[in-house]
Amino acid sequence: QVQLVESGGGLVQPGGSLRLSCAASGSFFSIGVMGWYRQAPGKQRELVADITSGGITNYADSVKGRFTISRDNAKNTVFLHMNSLKPEDTAVYYCNADGRSTWFSSIKNYWGQGTQVTVSS
């Protein structure tokens, strides 16, 4: 089992910056792909960015050039550096990760509880 805890959300002005963090804990053998998703009120959840254990990244077109995803495998932590924030970025941001069980061969997918990001003047 894996628990994901996000932190770093808050209120920022348009054009501002924010860094989100997500730490994985619990009983697992290894963590595979980690990513960030976001969901605005009344809207569908969408992928923001993800990153493999080897450092290969993938970004939504709407955040390319503004957001940067990174991870620290030793600390089982993923980060999302958000720059040039826009009101359209306002949403609950959720951490997501694939984890391999210590005792079983299957890989399961996990979600964090989410952290609110509000971009407003």
Side-chain angles (χ1 to χ4, degrees):
Q1 56 184 290
V2 177
Q3 293 81 48
L4 302 175
V5 180
E6 303 100 332
S7 63
L11 173 65
V12 296
Q13 296 183 359
S17 299
L18 206 61
R19 188 185 81 162
L20 306 183
S21 300
C22 172
S25 62
S27 60
F28 56 86
F29 181 74
S30 62
I31 299 293
V33 174
M34 302 185 79
W36 290 95
Y37 292 72
R38 66 186 181 186
Q39 186 169 25
K43 304 293 180 60
Q44 71 288 334
R45 186 171 299 185
E46 64 177 356
L47 173 70
V48 176
D50 59 25
I51 183 170
T52 69
S53 60
I56 304 300
T57 59
N58 177 56
Y59 296 92
D61 289 339
S62 60
V63 306
K64 284 182 179 178
R66 299 189 298 121
F67 292 9
T68 301
I69 189 170
S70 62
R71 65 189 289 170
D72 184 336
N73 289 333
K75 297 181 179 180
N76 295 311
T77 301
V78 64
F79 306 93
L80 185 67
H81 291 81
M82 305 184 293
N83 299 312
S84 302
L85 283 162
K86 306 174 180 179
E88 308 94 272
D89 296 318
T90 296
V92 176
Y93 284 69
Y94 295 92
C95 181
N96 180 269
D98 290 336
R100 180 181 289 276
S101 172
T102 300
W103 303 107
F104 302 96
S105 62
S106 63
I107 298 176
K108 296 182 178 180
N109 189 251
Y110 299 87
W111 290 95
Q113 65 179 3
T115 184
Q116 177 71 48
V117 172
T118 302
V119 184
S120 176
S121 59

